[in-house]
């Protein structure tokens, strides 16, 4: 599954559209964010995506988890948001 990477500069509505599209196609989506600003945008995007998907009769939940990612040969902790139908 493709991971939706969210930065602090990401538009939450654009990320929400990506999350909703992936959930419609694959049944679940995974967004990943590093840093407070990125996590803020990702959480807002999940809330907006819930609204988009509700119009299609899909009720989703969000499962937060930590994951380790390698950036420039350094291990960083990222927040992973798994979005899937209830």
């Amino acid at each position: 599954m493709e991971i939706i990477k969210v930065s602090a500069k990401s538009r939450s509505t654009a990320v929400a559209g990506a999350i909703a599209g992936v959930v419609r196609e694959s049944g679940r989506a995974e967004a990943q964010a590093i840093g407070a600003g990125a996590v803020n945008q990702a959480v807002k995007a999940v809330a907006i995506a819930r609204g988009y998907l509700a119009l299609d009769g899909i009720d989703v939940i969000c499962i937060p988890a930590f994951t380790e990612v390698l950036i420039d040969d350094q291990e960083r902790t990222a927040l992973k948001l798994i979005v899937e139908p209830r």
Side-chain angles (χ1 to χ4, degrees):
M1 177 191 319
E2 184 178 325
I3 297 171
I4 300 166
K5 295 181 179 161
V6 184
S7 79
K9 296 178 183 177
S10 297
R11 288 188 4 250
S12 53
T13 53
V15 175
I19 290 170
V22 172
V23 168
R24 287 184 192 109
E25 284 182 21
S26 305
R28 68 181 289 207
E30 191 173 304
Q32 188 172 282
I34 299 173
V39 170
N40 180 52
Q41 293 303 95
V43 171
K44 287 194 294 188
V46 170
I48 295 166
R50 285 197 77 218
Y52 292 166
L53 292 165
L55 297 174
D56 296 332
I58 303 170
D59 184 26
V60 294
I61 60 169
C62 176
I63 304 164
F66 289 110
T67 186
E68 298 296 323
V69 295
L70 199 61
I71 299 175
D72 296 330
D73 294 327
Q74 281 191 311
E75 205 169 81
R76 303 274 312 266
T77 301
L79 188 71
K80 176 170 60 172
L81 300 174
I82 302 163
V83 180
E84 59 187 25
R86 182 180 298 230

Coordinates of all heavy atoms in Angstrom, one line a residue:
M1 N 0.8 -1.2 0.0 CA 0.0 0.0 0.0 C 0.9 1.2 0.0 O 1.9 1.3 0.7 CB -0.9 0.0 1.3 CG -1.7 1.2 1.4 SD -2.6 1.4 3.0 CE -3.1 -0.2 3.3
E2 N 0.5 2.2 -0.8 CA 1.2 3.5 -0.8 C 1.0 4.3 0.4 O -0.2 4.4 0.9 CB 0.8 4.3 -2.1 CG 1.6 5.5 -2.3 CD 1.1 6.3 -3.6 OE1 0.8 5.6 -4.5 OE2 1.2 7.5 -3.5
I3 N 2.0 4.9 1.0 CA 1.9 5.7 2.2 C 1.7 7.2 1.7 O 2.5 7.7 0.9 CB 3.1 5.6 3.1 CG1 3.2 4.1 3.6 CG2 3.1 6.5 4.2 CD1 4.5 3.8 4.3
I4 N 0.7 7.9 2.3 CA 0.5 9.3 2.0 C 1.4 10.0 3.0 O 1.2 10.0 4.2 CB -1.0 9.6 2.2 CG1 -1.8 8.8 1.2 CG2 -1.2 11.1 2.0 CD1 -3.3 8.8 1.5
K5 N 2.4 10.8 2.5 CA 3.3 11.5 3.3 C 2.8 12.9 3.5 O 2.5 13.6 2.5 CB 4.7 11.5 2.8 CG 5.3 10.1 2.8 CD 6.6 10.0 2.2 CE 7.1 8.6 2.3 NZ 8.2 8.3 1.4
V6 N 2.7 13.4 4.8 CA 2.1 14.7 5.1 C 3.2 15.6 5.7 O 3.9 15.1 6.6 CB 0.9 14.5 6.0 CG1 0.3 15.9 6.3 CG2 -0.1 13.5 5.5
S7 N 3.3 16.8 5.2 CA 4.2 17.7 5.8 C 3.4 18.9 6.4 O 2.2 19.0 6.2 CB 5.2 18.3 4.7 OG 4.5 19.3 4.0
A8 N 4.1 19.7 7.1 CA 3.5 20.9 7.8 C 2.9 21.8 6.7 O 1.9 22.6 7.0 CB 4.5 21.6 8.7
K9 N 3.4 21.8 5.5 CA 3.0 22.7 4.4 C 1.9 22.1 3.6 O 1.4 22.7 2.7 CB 4.1 23.1 3.6 CG 5.2 23.9 4.3 CD 6.3 24.3 3.5 CE 7.4 25.1 4.3 NZ 8.5 25.4 3.5
S10 N 1.5 20.8 3.8 CA 0.5 20.1 3.1 C -0.9 20.8 3.3 O -1.2 21.2 4.4 CB 0.4 18.7 3.5 OG 1.5 18.0 3.2
R11 N -1.7 20.9 2.2 CA -3.0 21.4 2.4 C -3.9 20.2 2.9 O -4.0 19.2 2.3 CB -3.6 21.9 1.0 CG -2.9 23.2 0.6 CD -3.6 23.8 -0.7 NE -4.7 23.1 -1.2 CZ -4.7 22.4 -2.4 NH1 -3.7 22.3 -3.1 NH2 -5.8 21.8 -2.8
S12 N -4.6 20.5 4.0 CA -5.3 19.4 4.6 C -6.5 18.9 3.7 O -6.8 17.7 3.7 CB -5.9 19.8 6.0 OG -6.6 21.0 5.9
T13 N -7.1 19.8 2.9 CA -8.1 19.3 2.0 C -7.6 18.4 0.9 O -8.2 17.4 0.5 CB -8.9 20.5 1.4 OG1 -7.9 21.4 0.8 CG2 -9.7 21.2 2.4
A14 N -6.4 18.7 0.4 CA -5.8 17.9 -0.6 C -5.4 16.5 -0.1 O -5.6 15.5 -0.7 CB -4.5 18.5 -1.2
V15 N -4.9 16.5 1.2 CA -4.5 15.2 1.8 C -5.8 14.4 2.1 O -5.9 13.2 1.9 CB -3.7 15.4 3.1 CG1 -3.5 14.1 3.8 CG2 -2.4 16.1 2.8
A16 N -6.9 15.1 2.5 CA -8.1 14.4 2.7 C -8.7 13.8 1.5 O -9.2 12.7 1.5 CB -9.2 15.4 3.3
G17 N -8.6 14.5 0.4 CA -9.0 13.9 -0.9 C -8.2 12.7 -1.3 O -8.7 11.7 -1.8
A18 N -6.9 12.7 -1.0 CA -6.0 11.5 -1.3 C -6.4 10.4 -0.4 O -6.5 9.2 -0.8 CB -4.6 11.9 -1.1
I19 N -6.7 10.6 0.9 CA -7.1 9.6 1.9 C -8.4 9.0 1.4 O -8.5 7.8 1.4 CB -7.2 10.2 3.3 CG1 -5.8 10.5 3.8 CG2 -7.9 9.2 4.2 CD1 -5.8 11.3 5.1
A20 N -9.4 9.8 1.1 CA -10.7 9.3 0.7 C -10.6 8.5 -0.6 O -11.2 7.4 -0.7 CB -11.6 10.5 0.5
G21 N -9.8 8.9 -1.5 CA -9.6 8.2 -2.8 C -9.0 6.8 -2.6 O -9.4 5.8 -3.1
V22 N -7.9 6.8 -1.7 CA -7.3 5.5 -1.4 C -8.2 4.6 -0.7 O -8.3 3.3 -0.9 CB -6.0 5.7 -0.6 CG1 -5.4 4.4 -0.2 CG2 -4.9 6.5 -1.5
V23 N -9.0 5.1 0.3 CA -9.9 4.2 1.0 C -11.0 3.7 0.0 O -11.3 2.5 0.1 CB -10.6 5.0 2.2 CG1 -11.8 4.2 2.7 CG2 -9.6 5.3 3.3
R24 N -11.5 4.5 -0.9 CA -12.5 4.0 -1.9 C -11.9 2.9 -2.7 O -12.5 1.9 -3.1 CB -12.9 5.1 -2.7 CG -13.9 6.1 -2.0 CD -14.4 7.2 -3.0 NE -15.0 8.2 -2.3 CZ -14.5 9.5 -2.2 NH1 -13.4 9.8 -2.8 NH2 -15.2 10.4 -1.5
E25 N -10.6 3.1 -3.2 CA -10.0 2.1 -4.1 C -9.5 0.9 -3.4 O -9.7 -0.3 -3.8 CB -8.8 2.8 -4.8 CG -9.2 3.7 -5.9 CD -8.0 4.3 -6.6 OE1 -6.9 3.7 -6.5 OE2 -8.2 5.3 -7.3
S26 N -8.7 1.1 -2.2 CA -8.0 -0.1 -1.6 C -8.7 -0.6 -0.3 O -8.3 -1.6 0.3 CB -6.6 0.4 -1.3 OG -5.9 0.8 -2.4
G27 N -9.7 0.2 0.2 CA -10.3 -0.2 1.5 C -9.7 0.3 2.7 O -10.3 0.3 3.8
R28 N -8.4 0.8 2.6 CA -7.8 1.5 3.8 C -6.6 2.4 3.3 O -6.1 2.2 2.2 CB -7.3 0.5 4.8 CG -6.1 -0.4 4.3 CD -5.7 -1.4 5.3 NE -5.0 -0.7 6.4 CZ -4.1 -1.3 7.2 NH1 -3.8 -2.5 7.0 NH2 -3.6 -0.6 8.2
A29 N -6.3 3.4 4.1 CA -5.2 4.3 3.7 C -4.3 4.5 4.9 O -4.7 4.3 6.0 CB -5.8 5.7 3.3
E30 N -3.1 4.9 4.6 CA -2.1 5.1 5.6 C -1.4 6.4 5.4 O -0.8 6.6 4.3 CB -1.1 4.0 5.6 CG -0.1 4.0 6.8 CD 0.7 2.7 6.8 OE1 0.2 1.6 6.8 OE2 2.0 2.9 6.8
A31 N -1.5 7.3 6.4 CA -0.8 8.6 6.3 C 0.3 8.7 7.3 O 0.2 8.1 8.4 CB -1.8 9.8 6.5
Q32 N 1.4 9.3 6.9 CA 2.6 9.4 7.8 C 3.0 10.8 7.9 O 3.1 11.6 7.0 CB 3.7 8.5 7.1 CG 4.9 8.3 7.9 CD 5.8 7.3 7.2 OE1 5.6 6.1 7.3 NE2 6.8 7.8 6.6
A33 N 3.3 11.2 9.2 CA 3.7 12.6 9.5 C 4.9 12.6 10.5 O 4.9 11.8 11.4 CB 2.5 13.4 10.0
I34 N 5.8 13.5 10.3 CA 6.9 13.8 11.2 C 6.9 15.2 11.7 O 6.9 16.1 10.8 CB 8.3 13.4 10.6 CG1 8.3 12.0 10.2 CG2 9.4 13.7 11.6 CD1 9.5 11.6 9.4
G35 N 6.7 15.5 13.0 CA 6.7 16.8 13.5 C 5.3 17.3 13.8 O 4.3 16.8 13.3
A36 N 5.2 18.2 14.7 CA 3.9 18.7 15.2 C 3.1 19.3 14.1 O 1.9 19.1 14.0 CB 4.2 19.7 16.3
G37 N 3.7 20.1 13.2 CA 2.9 20.8 12.2 C 2.3 19.8 11.2 O 1.2 19.9 10.8
A38 N 3.1 18.8 10.9 CA 2.7 17.7 9.9 C 1.6 16.9 10.6 O 0.6 16.5 9.9 CB 3.9 16.9 9.5
V39 N 1.8 16.5 11.8 CA 0.7 15.7 12.5 C -0.6 16.5 12.6 O -1.7 16.0 12.4 CB 1.2 15.3 13.9 CG1 0.1 14.7 14.8 CG2 2.4 14.4 13.8
N40 N -0.5 17.8 12.8 CA -1.7 18.7 12.8 C -2.4 18.6 11.5 O -3.6 18.4 11.4 CB -1.3 20.1 13.2 CG -2.5 21.0 13.2 OD1 -3.5 20.8 13.9 ND2 -2.4 22.2 12.5
Q41 N -1.7 18.8 10.4 CA -2.3 18.7 9.1 C -2.9 17.3 8.8 O -4.0 17.2 8.2 CB -1.3 19.1 8.0 CG -0.9 20.5 8.1 CD -2.0 21.5 8.0 OE1 -2.5 22.0 9.0 NE2 -2.4 21.8 6.8
A42 N -2.2 16.3 9.2 CA -2.7 14.9 9.0 C -4.0 14.6 9.7 O -4.9 14.0 9.2 CB -1.6 13.9 9.4
V43 N -4.0 15.1 11.0 CA -5.3 14.8 11.8 C -6.4 15.6 11.2 O -7.6 15.1 11.1 CB -5.0 15.2 13.3 CG1 -6.3 15.1 14.0 CG2 -4.0 14.2 13.9
K44 N -6.2 16.9 10.8 CA -7.3 17.6 10.1 C -7.7 17.0 8.9 O -8.9 16.9 8.6 CB -6.8 19.1 9.8 CG -6.7 19.9 11.1 CD -6.5 21.4 10.8 CE -5.3 21.7 10.0 NZ -5.0 23.2 9.9
A45 N -6.8 16.4 8.1 CA -7.1 15.7 6.9 C -8.0 14.5 7.1 O -8.9 14.2 6.3 CB -5.8 15.3 6.1
V46 N -7.7 13.7 8.2 CA -8.5 12.6 8.5 C -9.9 13.0 8.8 O -10.9 12.4 8.4 CB -7.9 11.8 9.6 CG1 -8.8 10.7 10.1 CG2 -6.6 11.1 9.2
A47 N -10.1 14.1 9.6 CA -11.4 14.6 9.9 C -12.2 15.0 8.7 O -13.4 14.7 8.5 CB -11.3 15.7 10.9
I48 N -11.5 15.7 7.8 CA -12.1 16.1 6.5 C -12.5 14.9 5.7 O -13.6 14.8 5.1 CB -11.2 17.1 5.8 CG1 -11.1 18.4 6.6 CG2 -11.8 17.4 4.4 CD1 -9.9 19.3 6.1
A49 N -11.6 13.9 5.6 CA -11.8 12.7 4.8 C -13.0 12.0 5.3 O -13.8 11.4 4.5 CB -10.6 11.9 4.8
R50 N -13.2 11.9 6.6 CA -14.4 11.3 7.2 C -15.7 11.9 6.6 O -16.6 11.2 6.3 CB -14.5 11.4 8.7 CG -13.5 10.5 9.4 CD -13.8 10.4 10.9 NE -14.9 9.4 11.0 CZ -15.9 9.6 11.8 NH1 -16.0 10.6 12.7 NH2 -16.9 8.7 11.9
G51 N -15.7 13.2 6.4 CA -16.8 13.9 5.9 C -17.0 13.5 4.4 O -18.1 13.3 3.9
Y52 N -15.9 13.5 3.6 CA -16.0 13.1 2.2 C -16.5 11.7 2.1 O -17.4 11.4 1.2 CB -14.6 13.2 1.6 CG -14.0 14.5 1.4 CD1 -12.6 14.6 1.1 CD2 -14.7 15.7 1.5 CE1 -12.0 15.9 0.9 CE2 -14.1 16.9 1.4 CZ -12.8 17.0 1.1 OH -12.2 18.2 0.9
L53 N -16.0 10.8 2.9 CA -16.4 9.4 2.8 C -17.9 9.1 3.3 O -18.5 8.2 2.8 CB -15.4 8.5 3.5 CG -14.1 8.4 2.8 CD1 -13.0 7.8 3.7 CD2 -14.1 7.6 1.5
A54 N -18.3 9.9 4.3 CA -19.6 9.8 4.8 C -20.7 10.1 3.7 O -21.7 9.4 3.7 CB -19.9 10.8 6.0
L55 N -20.4 10.9 2.8 CA -21.3 11.2 1.6 C -21.5 9.9 0.8 O -22.5 9.8 0.1 CB -20.7 12.3 0.8 CG -20.6 13.7 1.5 CD1 -19.9 14.7 0.5 CD2 -22.0 14.2 1.9
D56 N -20.5 9.0 0.8 CA -20.6 7.8 0.1 C -21.1 6.6 1.0 O -21.1 5.5 0.6 CB -19.2 7.4 -0.5 CG -18.7 8.3 -1.5 OD1 -19.6 9.0 -2.2 OD2 -17.5 8.5 -1.7
G57 N -21.5 6.9 2.2 CA -22.0 5.9 3.1 C -20.9 5.1 3.8 O -21.1 4.0 4.2
I58 N -19.6 5.6 3.8 CA -18.5 4.9 4.4 C -18.1 5.6 5.7 O -17.7 6.7 5.7 CB -17.3 4.8 3.4 CG1 -17.7 4.2 2.1 CG2 -16.1 4.1 4.0 CD1 -16.6 4.4 1.0
D59 N -18.2 4.8 6.8 CA -17.8 5.3 8.1 C -16.4 4.8 8.4 O -16.2 3.6 8.4 CB -18.8 4.9 9.1 CG -18.5 5.5 10.5 OD1 -17.9 6.5 10.6 OD2 -18.9 4.8 11.5
V60 N -15.5 5.7 8.6 CA -14.1 5.3 8.8 C -13.6 5.6 10.3 O -14.1 6.5 10.9 CB -13.1 5.9 7.8 CG1 -13.4 5.4 6.4 CG2 -13.1 7.4 7.9
I61 N -12.6 4.8 10.7 CA -12.0 5.1 11.9 C -10.5 5.3 11.7 O -10.0 5.0 10.6 CB -12.1 3.9 12.9 CG1 -11.5 2.6 12.3 CG2 -13.5 3.6 13.3 CD1 -11.3 1.5 13.3
C62 N -9.8 5.9 12.6 CA -8.4 6.2 12.5 C -7.6 5.6 13.6 O -8.0 5.7 14.8 CB -8.2 7.7 12.6 SG -6.5 8.2 12.5
I63 N -6.6 4.8 13.3 CA -5.8 4.1 14.3 C -4.4 4.7 14.2 O -3.7 4.6 13.2 CB -5.7 2.6 13.9 CG1 -7.1 2.0 13.8 CG2 -4.8 1.9 15.0 CD1 -7.1 0.6 13.2
P64 N -4.0 5.5 15.3 CA -2.7 6.1 15.3 C -1.6 5.1 15.8 O -1.9 4.2 16.7 CB -2.9 7.2 16.3 CG -3.9 6.8 17.3 CD -4.8 5.9 16.4
A65 N -0.4 5.2 15.3 CA 0.7 4.3 15.7 C 2.0 5.0 15.4 O 2.0 5.9 14.6 CB 0.6 3.0 15.0
F66 N 3.0 4.6 16.1 CA 4.4 5.2 15.8 C 5.1 4.2 14.9 O 4.8 3.0 14.9 CB 5.2 5.3 17.1 CG 4.7 6.4 18.0 CD1 4.1 6.1 19.2 CD2 4.9 7.7 17.6 CE1 3.7 7.1 20.0 CE2 4.5 8.8 18.5 CZ 3.9 8.5 19.7
T67 N 5.9 4.7 14.0 CA 6.8 3.9 13.1 C 8.1 4.6 13.0 O 8.2 5.8 13.2 CB 6.1 3.8 11.8 OG1 6.8 2.9 11.0 CG2 5.9 5.1 11.0
E68 N 9.1 3.8 12.7 CA 10.4 4.3 12.5 C 10.7 4.4 11.0 O 10.4 3.5 10.2 CB 11.5 3.4 13.1 CG 11.4 3.3 14.6 CD 11.6 4.5 15.4 OE1 12.5 5.3 14.9 OE2 10.9 4.8 16.4
V69 N 11.2 5.6 10.5 CA 11.5 5.8 9.1 C 13.0 6.3 9.0 O 13.5 6.9 9.9 CB 10.6 6.8 8.5 CG1 9.2 6.3 8.4 CG2 10.6 8.2 9.2
L70 N 13.6 6.0 7.9 CA 15.0 6.3 7.6 C 15.0 7.6 6.7 O 14.5 7.5 5.5 CB 15.7 5.2 7.0 CG 17.2 5.2 7.0 CD1 17.7 5.1 8.5 CD2 17.8 4.0 6.3
I71 N 15.5 8.7 7.2 CA 15.6 9.9 6.4 C 17.1 10.4 6.4 O 17.6 10.6 7.5 CB 14.7 11.0 6.9 CG1 13.2 10.5 6.8 CG2 14.9 12.3 6.1 CD1 12.2 11.5 7.4
D72 N 17.7 10.5 5.3 CA 19.1 10.9 5.2 C 20.0 10.1 6.1 O 20.8 10.6 6.9 CB 19.3 12.4 5.5 CG 18.6 13.3 4.5 OD1 18.5 12.9 3.4 OD2 18.1 14.4 4.9
D73 N 19.8 8.7 6.1 CA 20.6 7.8 6.9 C 20.4 8.0 8.4 O 21.2 7.6 9.2 CB 22.0 7.8 6.5 CG 22.3 7.3 5.1 OD1 21.5 6.4 4.6 OD2 23.2 7.8 4.5
Q74 N 19.3 8.6 8.8 CA 19.0 8.8 10.2 C 17.6 8.2 10.5 O 16.7 8.4 9.7 CB 19.0 10.3 10.6 CG 20.3 10.9 10.9 CD 20.2 12.2 11.5 OE1 19.4 13.1 11.1 NE2 20.9 12.5 12.6
E75 N 17.5 7.5 11.6 CA 16.2 6.9 12.0 C 15.4 8.0 12.7 O 15.9 8.6 13.6 CB 16.4 5.7 12.9 CG 15.3 4.7 12.8 CD 15.6 3.4 13.5 OE1 15.5 3.4 14.7 OE2 16.0 2.5 12.8
R76 N 14.2 8.2 12.2 CA 13.3 9.2 12.8 C 12.0 8.5 13.2 O 11.6 7.5 12.6 CB 12.9 10.3 11.8 CG 14.1 11.1 11.2 CD 14.6 12.2 12.0 NE 13.5 13.1 12.5 CZ 13.2 14.2 11.9 NH1 13.7 14.5 10.7 NH2 12.2 15.0 12.4
T77 N 11.3 9.0 14.2 CA 10.0 8.5 14.6 C 8.9 9.3 13.9 O 8.9 10.5 14.0 CB 9.8 8.6 16.1 OG1 10.9 7.8 16.8 CG2 8.5 8.0 16.6
A78 N 8.0 8.6 13.3 CA 6.9 9.2 12.6 C 5.6 8.7 13.2 O 5.5 7.6 13.8 CB 6.9 8.9 11.1
L79 N 4.6 9.5 13.1 CA 3.2 9.1 13.4 C 2.5 8.6 12.2 O 2.5 9.2 11.2 CB 2.4 10.3 14.0 CG 1.1 9.9 14.6 CD1 1.3 9.1 15.9 CD2 0.3 11.1 14.9
K80 N 2.0 7.4 12.4 CA 1.3 6.7 11.3 C -0.2 6.7 11.6 O -0.6 6.3 12.7 CB 1.8 5.3 11.1 CG 1.1 4.5 10.1 CD 1.8 3.2 9.8 CE 2.0 2.3 11.0 NZ 2.5 1.0 10.7
L81 N -1.0 7.2 10.7 CA -2.5 7.2 10.9 C -3.1 6.2 9.9 O -3.0 6.5 8.7 CB -3.1 8.6 10.7 CG -2.5 9.7 11.6 CD1 -3.1 11.0 11.2 CD2 -2.9 9.4 13.1
I82 N -3.7 5.1 10.4 CA -4.3 4.2 9.5 C -5.8 4.5 9.5 O -6.4 4.6 10.5 CB -4.0 2.7 10.0 CG1 -2.5 2.5 10.1 CG2 -4.8 1.7 9.2 CD1 -2.2 1.3 11.0
V83 N -6.3 4.6 8.3 CA -7.7 5.0 8.1 C -8.4 3.8 7.4 O -8.0 3.4 6.3 CB -7.9 6.3 7.3 CG1 -9.4 6.6 7.2 CG2 -7.2 7.4 8.0
E84 N -9.4 3.2 8.1 CA -10.1 2.1 7.5 C -11.6 2.1 7.9 O -12.0 2.7 8.9 CB -9.5 0.8 7.9 CG -9.4 0.6 9.4 CD -8.6 -0.7 9.8 OE1 -7.7 -1.1 9.0 OE2 -8.9 -1.2 10.8
P85 N -12.4 1.5 7.1 CA -13.9 1.5 7.4 C -14.2 0.8 8.7 O -13.5 -0.1 9.1 CB -14.5 0.6 6.2 CG -13.5 0.7 5.2 CD -12.2 0.8 5.8
R86 N -15.2 1.3 9.4 CA -15.6 0.7 10.6 C -16.4 -0.6 10.4 O -17.1 -0.7 9.5 CB -16.5 1.7 11.4 CG -16.9 1.2 12.7 CD -17.8 2.3 13.4 NE -17.0 3.5 13.6 CZ -17.0 4.1 14.8 NH1 -17.6 3.6 15.8 NH2 -16.3 5.2 14.9

